[in-house]
Amino acid sequence: MERIAIQGIDGCNHFIAARSYFEGREISCVDCDTFTQLADTVERDPSILGVMAVENTIAGSILQNYRLIESRNLVITGEYKLRIKHALVALPGVEISGIREVNSHPMALMQCAEYLEQLPWVKLVEKDDTAASAKWISENGLRDHAAICPADAAALFGMNVLADGIETNKRNFTRFLILAHRSVADEVLKDLCPDGTVNKSTLLFTLQHTAGSLSKVLSVLSFYDMNLTMIQSVPIIGKEWEYQFYINLLFSDYRRYRQAMDAIRPLTGMLKVLGEYEDGRQSVAD
């Protein structure tokens, strides 16, 4: 059985992503309240893998999670892109007209703003987790409350789905990374990618504070046919106006990719590979 650390509880989007990525395998989720706790759990116990959200097609990158991966010396061994679907759920017998408060994660509330505008009498309250909001309402018997969460969570906590697919954007995806302790990362990668179809990497690098330093790196990557799918700059703490860069690369030739790494290394102050893995599956949009 795979033990998977997630941020949240059963029924949340991290749980759904873990279940989808490890489809066909028996998994047991280790619930974590925060992303920091998730990273710490994987760092402390190499037998536990992590599933962590890092990017959303609406909200953008969760930059602090990249920092967590690097600071805990974790390795990215895979990814999954989950289509985010939201439902309004409440206790059995409760109707929408009787709801006075809706609870959910602030991101979920934002992603359902257009639907929620149809309920002007309802108070919106931010919580730490989508599924945990439903669980809290169920455990406390709050009949004038509703939660926004995945529809699957309603069945887990004995609640009814009042409205499904209430997210404003129907092509809303979140990218989740599969994380492993560095000591077992090679073994995990062989298990998750037995055919050796590694075609994506995530890199962290710093640059000299000189004109054209970034453009030189990007020119070299272009020369070696690397497909740059994401670039994010993050301030270096303690070094005013200096930045480190996180990038994702897609490639079809691993040998040429390694040549590209050798070519850009002298142009960087520091270059670290956070993971080499297979470009992740994407759940089907409606």
Side-chain angles (χ1 to χ4, degrees):
M1 177 184 293
E2 303 279 1
R3 298 176 66 205
I4 314 295
I6 62 171
Q7 190 273 314
I9 64 173
D10 286 6
C12 72
N13 284 314
H14 274 77
F15 171 80
I16 294 171
R19 187 179 59 184
S20 299
Y21 182 84
F22 292 99
E23 186 177 10
R25 302 190 187 195
E26 189 176 0
I27 68 170
S28 173
C29 287
V30 180
D31 299 345
C32 301
D33 293 332
T34 65
F35 290 121
T36 299
Q37 185 182 349
L38 190 166
D40 289 343
T41 298
V42 180
E43 182 185 35
R44 285 194 302 266
D45 189 342
S47 70
I48 299 176
L49 301 180
V51 171
M52 178 185 284
V54 292
E55 186 178 1
N56 177 265
T57 53
I58 296 175
S61 296
I62 308 174
L63 295 177
Q64 66 267 29
N65 286 359
Y66 284 105
R67 278 179 160 163
L68 279 172
I69 293 168
E70 189 232 338
S71 65
R72 279 18 176 221
N73 209 25
L74 304 180
V75 178
I76 303 167
T77 56
E79 67 175 8
Y80 186 76
K81 300 157 188 172
L82 177 69
R83 157 83 155 86
I84 302 300
K85 303 177 183 179
H86 294 301
L88 185 71
V89 309
L91 291 171
V94 173
E95 297 182 355
I96 291 179
S97 59
I99 297 170
R100 294 294 174 266
E101 183 172 305
V102 172
N103 306 127
S104 194
H105 189 278
M107 189 65 66
L109 294 173
M110 181 196 74
Q111 292 171 354
C112 299
E114 191 172 295
Y115 174 83
L116 292 170
E117 287 175 359
Q118 303 173 41
L119 313 177
W121 67 89
V122 168
K123 179 182 179 182
L124 306 181
V125 178
E126 296 181 356
K127 298 288 186 179
D128 291 335
D129 184 64
T130 54
S133 298
K135 183 180 180 181
W136 176 71
I137 291 170
S138 178
E139 289 177 342
N140 290 278
L142 301 174
R143 300 191 62 80
D144 61 347
H145 283 51
I148 292 177
C149 62
D152 289 356
L156 290 175
F157 306 120
M159 302 181 77
N160 287 343
V161 175
L162 300 180
D164 200 3
I166 64 172
E167 64 280 356
T168 301
N169 190 313
K170 305 303 180 184
R171 296 198 59 83
N172 176 16
F173 289 84
T174 293
R175 178 170 171 257
F176 294 84
L177 298 180
I178 315 303
L179 306 175
H181 191 281
R182 184 162 293 277
S183 65
V184 298
D186 289 344
E187 179 184 343
V188 170
L189 185 60
K190 289 179 183 177
D191 178 47
L192 298 180
C193 192
D195 298 329
T197 52
V198 170
N199 61 353
K200 191 170 186 177
S201 71
T202 298
L203 310 176
L204 164 66
F205 61 86
T206 60
L207 296 172
Q208 301 296 327
H209 200 38
T210 57
S213 57
L214 178 59
S215 65
K216 291 176 184 176
V217 170
L218 298 181
S219 294
V220 171
L221 293 176
S222 176
F223 174 81
Y224 283 95
D225 301 318
M226 299 295 103
N227 182 8
L228 183 68
T229 61
M230 186 274 287
I231 181 167
Q232 291 283 351
S233 63
V234 180
I236 300 176
I237 297 174
K239 295 185 178 181
E240 297 83 1
W241 320 122
E242 294 190 31
Y243 300 86
Q244 57 188 16
F245 296 86
Y246 293 92
I247 66 173
N248 289 332
L249 295 178
L250 267 176
F251 48 88
S252 57
D253 185 332
Y254 185 79
R255 181 185 62 85
R256 195 159 174 81
Y257 157 73
R258 294 308 309 176
Q259 290 174 339
M261 295 302 96
D262 291 339
I264 67 171
R265 195 176 300 276
L267 303 176
T268 65
M270 177 272 290
L271 174 64
K272 184 175 183 179
V273 179
L274 299 182
E276 298 171 351
Y277 48 98
E278 184 178 13
D279 186 27
R281 304 190 311 276
Q282 180 167 298
S283 56
V284 179
D286 295 336

